[in-house]
Amino acid sequence: MKRLILAALTVALTASLFAGVAPLSPVAASEGLADLPGYDRMDVPARHRAMPLAASVWYPAGRVTYRNTIGDSALFVGMPAYVGAAVAEGRYPLVLVSHGSGGAMDGLAWLSSRLAARGAIVLAVNHPGTTSGDSSPRRTMRLAPRAADLGAALQALLADPQFAPHVDRDRVSALGFSLGGSTVLGLAGLRFDGDAFAGYCRKAGESSPGCDFLAKGGVRLDSLPESFSADMRDARVSSVISVDPGFTHAAVEESLAGVRVPVLFVNLGEEHRWPAVDVGPRGSGLAARLPGARHVAVAPAHHFTFLGVCKPGGAELLRKWEDDPICDDPEGTERARAHEEIVGIVAEFLELAP
């Protein structure tokens, strides 16, 4: 998936917001919510990074500005939104979103837009070093800066006079996929052990999912950075949704008791589930060991089903690029239907509108 980054997802990030769709004339406010969510971007000051972070915000829109398609690319179908629209009156739960390795905030537009349509504000960031076009095996292991990215974005949003009055600060959740799933578990207080992860990869083999990308980068698993095992807890986060999280075979057992917020684990697939991200009894077993955690599976599916709906010809394009087959789902899978199931599961857990 690392090569598609430059060829497709970066296009979505840099061009889809203001190009390709003719803006509509602004329209006066209508009663209640607009027919599409609102969308905007933020530059987030981050002392732990060399440059500000790119962040996106999806939210219930109270007025209509102009419609555009977010996250559209050569591979993926984008989602429509009203760019820069006023926030609808009211206070809403906030969901922080952390993308996976080689992903991007707008690559999960299918999820963010639907959660906003159900009455949530969704705040996502691009994590430097693990984002489209900037995905490094070595930087993948630096979990603490990723967690700090979400914390900095949350701080910026709560200081923004346009958004802050609309945030229900008692309902701040974090949702992450893959590497993002590990990141949000860190926000809940889970810690990871580098030696344990090195042992997992020795046993699974360096060609196994979750270890292969690191092996290609020559990452020394016997000398992982301190930020891999750091305490990343953020007391402002009141619940966590972790989708196919990495590194759970290396969870520090003593840290489990310190996770005091509700946790929902979502695994993709049954027979096609990746062992590296399986938190069920055939994998790390973390879901059963974490007190009070809920575990659900979406099937048929596999890890890549969580990515956006692919356009016709997407699979062929990936083969041409000699990239990961992220558009090839297991037989019987309808990615759009799986997405709707995931949204329903998440919305129920967060007690959003049906």
Side-chain angles (χ1 to χ4, degrees), residues 55 68 75 92 133 167 187 198 211 225 236 262 351:
N68 213 334
L75 276 182
Y92 306 98
V167 176
L187 294 178
C211 303
R236 296 170 295 181
E351 299 182 346

Side-chain angles (χ1 to χ4, degrees), residues 36 61 95 134-135 141 158 181 198 210 237 241 257 263 272 285 288 311 330:
L36 294 174
V95 183
D134 177 31
S135 186
M141 308 310 290
L158 295 180
V237 174
I241 303 100
V263 175
H272 299 286
K311 291 181 176 178

Side-chain angles (χ1 to χ4, degrees), residues 94-119:
L94 175 65
V95 183
L96 308 174
V97 171
S98 179
H99 64 74
S101 175
M105 61 189 185
D106 287 346
L108 296 178
W110 68 266
L111 174 67
S112 298
S113 62
R114 286 178 170 90
L115 294 180
R118 289 178 180 241

Side-chain angles (χ1 to χ4, degrees), residues 217-236:
V219 174
R220 289 192 55 182
L221 297 181
D222 61 349
S223 185
L224 294 179
E226 291 183 4
S227 59
F228 178 76
S229 302
D231 186 343
M232 299 172 276
R233 184 192 308 274
D234 191 323
R236 296 170 295 181

Side-chain angles (χ1 to χ4, degrees), residues 58-70:
W58 293 80
Y59 52 90
R63 291 175 178 256
V64 173
T65 51
Y66 64 93
R67 172 177 171 149
N68 213 334
T69 304
I70 310 302

Side-chain angles (χ1 to χ4, degrees), residues 283-309:
S284 68
L286 180 61
R289 301 192 338 261
L290 189 61
R294 180 184 172 194
H295 181 215
V296 298
V298 175
H302 68 167
H303 192 65
F304 294 139
T305 303
F306 195 78
L307 301 179
V309 172

Side-chain angles (χ1 to χ4, degrees), residues 209 244 267-278 282 297-305 328-333:
D244 268 11
N267 269 141
L268 298 170
E270 291 287 359
E271 59 179 307
H272 299 286
R273 188 182 305 171
W274 287 6
V277 299
D278 188 355
R282 295 177 298 171
V298 175
H302 68 167
H303 192 65
F304 294 139
T305 303
D328 292 325
D329 291 301
E331 184 177 355
T333 304

